[in-house]
Amino acid sequence: MTIPTGAVTVPDVVREIAGDALITPAWSNELGGRTFRLDPVGPVGTVGSPDGTARSAAQRGAAFVKWAPRTDRAAAEGIDLADEAARMQWAERYTPVPHVLEVGADEDAEWLATVAIEASSAVDPRWLADPETAARAIGSGLRALHDALPVDECPWTWSIADRMAVAETRATRGHPADGWSVEARARLLDAPDHDRLVVCHGDACAPNTLLADDGSWAAHVDLGALGIADRWADLAVATYSLGWNYGPGHDHLVYEAYGIDEDPDRVAYYRLLWDLG
């Protein structure tokens, strides 16, 4: 994901959901998806659609709308905002995640509106300048998530087999990951034993952890791949993303805050799975 720097077209459905709210582009991705922040311009409750109905997400205060076009590549990547909404609604009973306001779709796109959590992403400029605090929050946040979500009640998985099947599907549709090969697949078939099965976030990259003003973990966002897996599936990716966002040298802070020693073999395996799947 990237923060848009130029002009961004706002889809009609986002304008409809926003009503009179101020619309600010927040994120975009390589699949053409866009996320917008909605901020009421008057007292909460005065914003709404022209017919006076209460559809507007902004009536509940600040909100975000994730919009994703329907494309073959998005389908191959498994983009399904209704499915993500279901995961968030389930997880909300146990841990801080965005509250779902609306989810919908038409022949061209799908969208998901959620209440804004008043906290900042771990890649906000403030935390990019303080990577030690961000790394610790990412570690403590993952531990809190893994401890809170009940494995026995989770209806989704994020297993190695599931992820390899997705990678195979992407490859057959012409979107193979870099390095996908018979050799790489053979390495993935030699999976390590599970350390501890938890309900994983599924995309524990730094931007998906939110921090409170005091630098503590506040919430998680973007739970479209949430499901049962070994905890190292999350930990390997979380620490992987530190290098992309903050530079090297911070992995140990995530492990310390989580309360675990690094497992190089599992880290290497799950990073390879991430790269190829």
Side-chain angles (χ1 to χ4, degrees):
M1 294 190 301
T2 59
I3 299 174
T5 56
V8 176
T9 300
V10 180
D12 289 343
V13 68
V14 175
R15 294 189 182 280
E16 182 182 350
I17 293 172
D20 294 331
L22 175 67
I23 303 173
T24 304
W27 300 96
S28 60
N29 64 38
E30 61 180 9
L31 301 178
R34 299 165 227 162
T35 299
F36 301 88
R37 181 180 171 101
L38 313 181
D39 287 287
V41 295
V44 173
T46 65
V47 183
S49 54
D51 63 1
T53 66
R55 180 174 186 232
S56 172
Q59 283 190 302
R60 297 282 297 272
F64 283 95
V65 180
K66 183 184 291 188
W67 179 91
R70 290 187 180 276
T71 63
D72 290 342
R73 185 173 179 189
E77 294 284 351
I79 303 300
D80 186 336
L81 296 187
D83 190 54
E84 180 176 355
R87 283 167 159 83
M88 285 197 292
Q89 289 169 325
W90 177 82
E92 185 182 13
R93 292 181 284 169
Y94 309 102
T95 189
V97 300
H99 176 71
V100 175
L101 292 170
E102 176 178 334
V103 61
D106 57 27
E107 62 183 11
D108 298 318
E110 51 187 323
W111 56 89
L112 170 62
T114 58
V115 173
I117 295 174
E118 294 309 321
S120 55
S121 167
V123 297
D124 182 88
R126 175 181 177 184
W127 306 120
L128 290 177
D130 186 4
E132 292 82 6
T133 297
R136 291 189 181 94
I138 290 167
S140 61
L142 270 184
R143 184 56 184 259
L145 183 80
H146 292 168
D147 287 349
L149 297 178
V151 173
D152 292 345
E153 298 177 25
C154 180
W156 302 281
T157 68
W158 194 45
S159 69
I160 293 169
D162 290 345
R163 295 172 67 184
M164 289 186 65
V166 170
E168 296 274 15
T169 299
R170 291 179 68 245
T172 60
R173 294 185 180 182
H175 302 291
D178 292 340
W180 182 255
S181 64
V182 173
E183 293 78 11
R185 190 176 187 281
R187 288 174 61 194
L188 290 177
L189 289 173
D190 186 21
D193 294 335
H194 288 137
D195 172 32
R196 175 189 167 198
L197 284 177
V198 300
V199 180
C200 281
H201 180 286
D203 185 2
C205 297
N208 293 333
T209 293
L210 302 187
L211 276 66
D213 284 344
D214 64 1
S216 62
W217 164 74
H220 288 103
V221 297
D222 287 350
L223 284 86
L226 177 145
I228 300 169
D230 188 84
R231 60 182 172 180
W232 284 98
D234 266 351
L235 283 162
V237 173
T239 50
Y240 206 5
S241 77
L242 298 186
W244 312 330
N245 292 285
Y246 312 116
H250 306 293
D251 291 18
H252 67 286
L253 298 173
V254 172
Y255 300 132
E256 288 174 8
Y258 188 95
I260 197 170
D261 292 329
E262 182 178 6
D263 186 326
D265 291 339
R266 287 189 171 94
V267 168
Y269 179 86
Y270 283 107
R271 287 183 180 179
L272 176 63
L273 182 60
W274 178 263
D275 286 339
L276 299 183

